[in-house]
Each structure stands twice: as C-alpha cells, then as structure tokens.
Amino acid sequence: MSTHKRSKSSLPIPSKVGDILSYLGPYNPHPQQVAAGDAVWLFDNVVYRNPKGKWEAEFVAAVLSQDPSCKVPDVVSQVAQMAGLSKDAQETATIARRITPFLMDIQPGRVVNASLGSGTKLKLGPGGRNGISSDIKQLPSGKAGDLVTTTAQVPAGANGVLEMKTIYAEPDGWAVISDIDDTIKITMTSDPIGILRSTFISTPTPVDGMPELYAHIHKLLGPQSPFFYLSASPYNLYPFLRNFREQYYPFGQLILRDASWMTIPGLLSNLTLGTEDYKVDRMEKIHSWLPKKKIICIGDSTQSDPEAFGDIYRAFPGWVKIILIRKVTDIASVGIETKNAPERFEKAFDGVPRDIWHVFEDPAECYNIIGARTMASDRPASKRQKSSKDVPYELIYWPGIPGRGEHIRLALEEAGAEYTDTAHIEGGMDQVVSYIKGEKPDDDINTPGLAPPWLKHGDLVISQTPNILLYLGPRLGLVPSSDGNDDHRYRVNALALTALDGLSNEPHDCHHPVAIQLYYEDQKTESKRKSEDYVKNRLPKFLGYFERVLKSKASGDGPWLYNGQLTYADLVLYHCLNGVKFMFPKAVSKYEKSGDYSGVFKLYEAVEERPRIKEYLASNRRQKYSLGIYRYYEELDIEP
C-alpha cells in the first residue's frame, strides 16, 4: 500500500531511532509491540488461491493512539461552522464521535499479533509511517464461502476493531466490485457541505433500493461470490463504514485509501480528486487475486466510476461481465447534468460492448439485467445454438397488430435484449407467410409451426406464445433463479397461461363466438350476448384470481405476482389487461374504481413505469390495436 507522511513533530514515537526505523516499513528490524493506549483496526478481507493453488490473503492492520494530541473541540467547532450548524449539543457530540478517528495519532512501526480461526498465529506488520501494515499470508485450507474470524492479541487497555472476518473465494465464479459513496450510501460527493454533513453529522443512509438489490445479488450468486466495497474515503472511516456495511449490505472487503486526513480541504479532495487512477489501481490488485472471476462492477455518476470501470474493462478484456452505473439525480450540485449526460457515458465506455454497461435510476431496473447476464454466462455452451450474447432473437409475427407477439416483444424489451421483428423490416410479411406455408424452417431439426408467433434463436425455431416465453424467461432473467431446479419457471408459466386463457383467448371469442372464418358482422347478436356474460362474470373472475395471487405469501414483497420480483407473467398480465381496457373500457373502468382489484391495477401501473417498457410504449415499435385479438366495437362496450 502507498505511504502517507506526517511531520515528525506530530508522530508520537518513543525514540528517534524508532522514528527512523519506521521508514523501513515491513523491513523494520526493531518493531514495537502494541501498547495499552493504542487502538488496533483489523480490516476484513478475502482469501484467494495464488498461482500455485495455495490459499492466501492480504491482511491489513492499522495502529493509532487512542487519545488525540490535538484539541478535539476546536476541530468540532470548525466542522460545525463549515457545515452551517448552530451549537446543537447532540450534533456536536456526533461530530466529536465521528471525527475522533481522524484525529488519533498514527503509531508507526507497530506489530500486531493475531489468531486466525482455531489457532493459526499471524504476525501483522510492522506498519509503515502511516501506521498501516499490509502482509500477504498463506492460510489453512478452506472451501468457498467459509467465513473465518481473526482476533488481535493486544494488552489490556488497547481497543479498536479487534476482530476481522475472512471469506474464502475460489478462482472461478462471480464477484462484485462496488463503489460506496452515492452508489450504496448517500454521501453527496458533488457537494462539499453534503460530504461534511453525511460524514460527521447525519445518520448514515443507504441509497433507496440498493440494500434489497445487493441482498438479491448475494442470494443469486451465492455466499462463495465475494463482494469488494471500493471507496476513495480515507482509512480513518473504516469503523464507520464497516458498521454501515454490516447493517445494510452483504459481507465484503472494504478497500479504502491508505492516506490519513490532515485538513478538511484534504478530506474533501480525498473523496473527489484522483479517484479514477486510485480505483483502477485497486481493481488491478483484485484482478491479480481473482483473474478468472466474472466481475459485476457497480458505481454511480457523481465521481469517476464510469471512466474507471471503462479503463478496467479495456485493460482486462472479458473479466468484467456487467457494469451498472447509478445515474444520480437527487443531488442539487453544479455540473450534475454534465455528469449524467449520455455523451459522458458513451465516451467512458468507448470500446465496451453496449450490452455490458447499463445506466439506471431505479435499482429495480438491475434485477433482470443481472439475472439475464449471469444465467447466460453460466449456461453451458450448446451445440445447436449460440448464446443470446452472440445471436439476436428473431420474432416472426404479423405487422400492424400487437397480437400474441406483443407478449414476446414486452419480454425482450424489458430485458434490453437484441432482437429483430418482422413487423418492422422490409419483407417481413413475406417471412410470416413463408412460415405459415411451411416453407420455413427448412431444415431437419425444427418442426413446422401452425401459426405465428415464431421465435428463431440460432438454429432453434419454436412457436406458441407461452412456449416461447417459457424458453425466454430464464434467459432474460424473467423468472427467479432456479437454484438447480425448474420449479420457479413452472409456477410463472401457470400464471401466464391463466392470463392468456381468461384475458386473451376469451376476449377474442367475444367478437368471434361462432366461427373464426366468419366476419364479425355475421355474428353480432352472438357477440353481444357473449360479451355481456364476459364482462359481468368471466372478467371479474379472472381479476379476482390475480388479486388473490397478489395477496398470497408466494407473491412476496412489491407489486409482482411471484417471489417479489418482475417475471414474464407480470408482463403477460399487463398486456392482457391493456387489451381488455381497449376493448371494454367501461367495464374495466368500473372494476378499477371499485377498489376490489387494487393490486392488479397497481401491478399494471408498475409495469408501465418500468424505464424500458415506458420507452417502448412511447416508441413506434409499439403496434396499435386494430383488427387483432382486442377490438373495440361500441355496441360491445357494455357496463356491467
């Protein structure tokens, strides 16, 4: 780790010789033991396999003096004044407590003796001029996901963070590198006053939705996938940030700048200047430990996370699989519009494939991205077809109507998947007709289909809307992670089939109750009778069913039908309800106002607010209703 120098007069050293020897860092021949008045901080870490296959880890320890040599009230007053605070006793006490780790004198040349697990003895240090030691230690065998405790052996009177956790990580699999400030914790790094308030005064607050997202990622990837929390904050904030992480986020290694705070301007510059080079340097170190891992990088737009992640992607092609950048819009600061400009992201990610990096405002947008990318990456290579990364999906469906093909479009749009659509390409109608006639697919693998939609993916051609969705769901992250079995996808499929039965097939029969080949005008009397029964009896039956599903334990938290997350069944229900609203506006309006199906309509609104869905619905890719499944006839618009 790099060193940080203070003037000799500020270093509490026992002798001039000891002071000189501390410049030698780990090569100091006469290190000093931890004393009763010292504070020791042990930093949590990750164990990896070295090139010889042996387990090892970097152990970092810091030693400081418990009692600051400067006058704490003077510094507290300075911070309070800069933050624009009055002399509030509670706020003053909070500042004093938070600022003390910055004022504790560093203790160079100290050795920390520690015990790992059931008795492995470790000697950490001696530390350098910044009071920090960094040692690579070989460790006993373990298995991925094991969490082992190391305890500092210190004399009575010494205190600090005397226990650390060490997690074992195999070379393969996934890992997460996450920024902290304004990515998972509100810090307001674009605002100097905001930094002071969030660091020394305010209750540490997680970014809304991020704890739930990280819990989901941890569950999806498993305990064997390590998290690295990378911040430009100085190491003085370690106890503060460690407590914050333990309260809100999965266990992981905190990586902080090994430079102590000297002045308030020094703290502010520490958090805002040189962050790109610093973060790239630390990510290069993580790569040296875990070069075969598949990395998810998560950051925000306030600092240089996009540039740093772009740099590391280009430095180690194939290592980073997903980049997620939180577009920070809840901070009023100079330059935030420039930081959030699309041109900035395009430049930062020059040379990075577009399906790798994503900019989001709502953490809910990330669930499907992560689900789709992790499942696609973990899936064994198939001899018959390429992965979704290599081959765009091809939708073969009628131009001019949403129809049954719309369910597939919504799934592809929500996942941000690359696809072509015969509704929007020259000669698209001819392709549809060639499939109907059986001229395509022309091979010895795929059977002819009866009617559109068809989905072509590599060498695979399949038909039937629910069958296509059953195929796409896991690949697009639109079913929960299966954890080795297929139970989730069958439950989701049952919900989709029910919606298609009662809110798609039956509405179609309302305008064609006698025969498909007859015109509507030839069966108007029967159509009106069928529609009256549908809006009075069948429609509330299906709305009531989905309301029960949403109130069930299996629905989970949030507005979704199953397991607390968006699935393709939610998208199917949305489009079905959208079509029924077009076809029977009076009936749907009455049922919505009744309040009996509030969960169903809340789901409907939640789907419409999904960023990709919202953009799609406003685009010309969205087909207008005409003479498809959902048709409006004034005489059938019956109020129940």
Side-chain angles (χ1 to χ4, degrees):
M1 302 179 77
S2 62
T3 60
H4 176 83
K5 299 179 181 179
R6 286 191 178 187
S7 64
K8 288 171 58 177
S9 60
S10 67
L11 292 171
I13 56 176
S15 68
K16 189 172 183 179
V17 173
D19 181 28
I20 295 172
L21 291 176
S22 69
Y23 281 98
L24 299 177
Y27 304 104
N28 186 341
H30 299 290
Q32 304 167 65
Q33 295 295 318
V34 172
D38 290 342
V40 176
W41 298 345
L42 299 182
F43 290 67
D44 298 325
N45 63 357
V46 172
V47 189
Y48 54 89
R49 290 189 185 273
N50 64 22
K52 295 182 179 180
K54 302 293 185 181
W55 290 108
E56 68 180 30
E58 180 187 40
F59 282 78
V60 176
V63 183
L64 305 96
S65 174
Q66 294 178 23
D67 299 319
S69 59
C70 65
K71 295 181 179 180
V72 175
D74 292 346
V75 182
V76 170
S77 177
Q78 183 185 8
V79 172
Q81 184 178 5
M82 292 188 70
L85 298 177
S86 59
K87 294 184 178 180
D88 179 272
Q90 184 175 353
E91 289 179 338
T92 300
T94 300
I95 296 172
R97 185 175 65 257
R98 299 258 186 96
I99 209 166
T100 295
F102 289 86
L103 306 178
M104 295 161 64
D105 295 318
I106 56 178
Q107 299 287 58
R110 292 287 201 266
V111 168
V112 178
N113 295 308
S115 177
L116 178 141
S118 58
T120 300
K121 301 300 181 183
L122 299 175
K123 175 186 173 184
L124 308 180
R129 295 286 291 171
N130 57 359
I132 296 177
S133 63
S134 172
D135 300 272
I136 302 297
K137 298 290 186 181
Q138 289 199 5
L139 301 181
S141 296
K143 64 177 185 292
D146 281 354
L147 202 60
V148 183
T149 300
T150 297
T151 305
Q153 308 299 314
V154 297
N159 63 17
V161 183
L162 301 180
E163 282 192 354
M164 62 178 287
K165 300 290 186 182
T166 296
I167 190 169
Y168 281 72
E170 287 285 3
D172 299 321
W174 289 87
V176 176
I177 298 176
S178 171
D179 175 54
I180 296 177
D181 301 300
D182 293 317
T183 296
I184 63 172
K185 173 185 169 292
I186 295 175
T187 304
M188 296 183 283
T189 52
S190 295
D191 178 12
I193 301 303
I195 293 175
L196 293 178
R197 285 181 173 273
S198 63
T199 303
F200 297 118
I201 303 162
S202 305
T203 300
T205 305
V207 172
D208 189 38
M210 294 303 277
E212 295 81 3
L213 174 63
Y214 277 48
H216 170 77
I217 295 172
H218 185 252
K219 181 180 179 182
L220 178 68
L221 302 183
Q224 71 278 9
S225 300
F227 280 66
F228 296 92
Y229 297 95
L230 177 57
S231 173
S233 298
Y235 73 86
N236 311 75
L237 279 174
Y238 176 67
F240 173 72
L241 292 176
R242 187 175 190 258
N243 290 337
F244 173 78
R245 184 210 65 201
E246 288 181 341
Q247 184 174 358
Y248 294 107
Y249 293 100
F251 173 82
Q253 179 171 345
L254 283 163
I255 302 177
L256 308 175
R257 277 186 166 173
D258 51 345
S260 185
W261 175 62
M262 301 291 287
T263 63
I264 291 177
L267 170 65
L268 300 179
S269 65
N270 212 68
L271 285 166
T272 56
L273 300 179
T275 58
E276 179 179 348
D277 290 342
Y278 158 74
K279 289 186 176 182
V280 169
D281 177 74
R282 293 305 186 267
M283 287 189 286
E284 287 175 346
K285 176 179 279 190
I286 296 172
H287 178 269
S288 72
W289 298 340
L290 299 166
K292 296 181 181 179
K293 283 287 189 186
K294 292 172 284 191
I295 303 298
I296 300 173
C297 291
I298 308 176
D300 66 86
S301 62
T302 61
Q303 294 179 302
S304 59
D305 292 338
E307 289 75 17
F309 293 158
D311 290 342
I312 206 69
Y313 181 92
R314 290 183 288 269
F316 304 108
W319 189 52
V320 177
K321 300 297 185 183
I322 305 172
I323 298 174
L324 301 172
I325 298 295
R326 176 179 176 251
K327 182 179 178 181
V328 179
T329 58
D330 51 1
I331 296 177
S333 67
V334 177
I336 196 68
E337 292 184 0
T338 302
K339 292 180 178 180
N340 288 336
E343 296 79 10
R344 185 250 179 129
F345 301 123
E346 293 288 347
K347 182 178 179 181
F349 296 120
D350 182 39
V352 181
R354 189 60 186 85
D355 61 344
I356 295 291
W357 62 274
H358 308 268
V359 179
F360 69 94
E361 293 184 41
D362 184 350
E365 301 170 43
C366 301
Y367 286 78
N368 290 333
I369 295 170
I370 293 170
R373 295 291 300 176
T374 54
M375 294 187 72
S377 180
D378 290 340
R379 195 180 310 120
S382 170
K383 294 181 179 180
R384 289 184 51 193
Q385 64 190 69
K386 298 179 181 179
S387 72
S388 58
K389 178 181 177 182
D390 302 318
V391 179
Y393 297 100
E394 299 177 49
L395 174 61
I396 296 97
Y397 195 70
W398 299 112
I401 57 172
R404 293 178 175 85
E406 190 67 8
H407 298 289
I408 299 155
R409 292 189 188 101
L410 287 172
L412 294 167
E413 291 285 348
E414 167 61 27
E418 185 179 358
Y419 75 101
T420 61
D421 186 348
T422 53
H424 298 290
I425 63 175
E426 186 176 352
M429 178 65 82
D430 294 336
Q431 285 197 46
V432 176
V433 172
S434 68
Y435 274 87
I436 292 174
K437 289 182 176 180
E439 297 170 356
K440 291 184 178 181
D442 183 18
D443 57 48
D444 58 357
I445 300 175
N446 298 290
T447 58
L450 178 65
W454 283 274
L455 181 79
K456 187 175 188 297
H457 189 212
D459 293 334
L460 176 69
V461 179
I462 53 176
S463 60
Q464 292 290 346
T465 298
N467 187 45
I468 294 171
L469 292 171
L470 187 64
Y471 173 79
L472 288 176
R475 289 161 175 79
L476 300 181
L478 291 173
V479 294
S481 176
S482 61
D483 294 328
N485 66 62
D486 296 328
D487 293 353
H488 287 315
R489 67 181 67 181
Y490 298 129
R491 296 184 185 114
V492 171
N493 192 46
L495 293 167
L497 287 169
T498 304
L500 290 169
D501 280 345
L503 300 172
S504 179
N505 296 336
E506 290 198 26
H508 175 271
D509 291 346
C510 286
H511 54 73
H512 275 74
V514 179
I516 297 296
Q517 66 269 25
L518 294 177
Y519 291 108
Y520 164 69
E521 288 73 17
D522 297 329
Q523 45 194 327
K524 288 180 67 173
T525 301
E526 294 86 349
S527 293
K528 187 170 183 179
R529 184 179 177 186
K530 174 70 174 177
S531 297
E532 287 177 347
D533 176 69
Y534 180 77
V535 299
K536 292 178 181 179
N537 299 309
R538 301 297 290 171
L539 178 55
K541 178 183 179 70
F542 283 95
L543 292 176
Y545 166 72
F546 284 109
E547 188 70 20
R548 292 202 314 274
V549 171
L550 289 164
K551 291 179 179 178
S552 71
K553 293 180 180 179
S555 172
D557 298 328
W560 312 121
L561 289 169
Y562 181 64
N563 203 49
Q565 72 177 78
L566 177 83
T567 68
Y568 70 80
D570 299 298
L571 301 176
V572 169
L573 179 57
Y574 164 79
H575 178 54
C576 287
L577 190 54
N578 185 263
V580 172
K581 286 182 73 172
F582 173 80
M583 189 169 175
F584 301 114
K586 291 180 181 178
V588 173
S589 176
K590 182 174 181 178
Y591 289 132
E592 183 174 6
K593 291 176 181 177
S594 73
D596 294 336
Y597 315 105
S598 58
V600 173
F601 289 100
K602 183 179 178 182
L603 179 150
Y604 180 89
E605 293 172 356
V607 171
E608 283 200 329
E609 288 303 312
R610 303 284 294 182
R612 287 197 175 101
I613 297 297
K614 191 173 186 178
E615 185 276 329
Y616 166 69
L617 295 177
S619 73
N620 60 10
R621 301 192 303 281
R622 168 75 164 179
Q623 305 286 294
K624 294 182 179 180
Y625 292 112
S626 56
L627 294 179
I629 295 172
Y630 302 107
R631 309 181 186 186
Y632 179 76
Y633 296 105
E634 186 176 0
E635 59 271 22
L636 301 185
D637 187 12
I638 302 163
E639 184 172 342

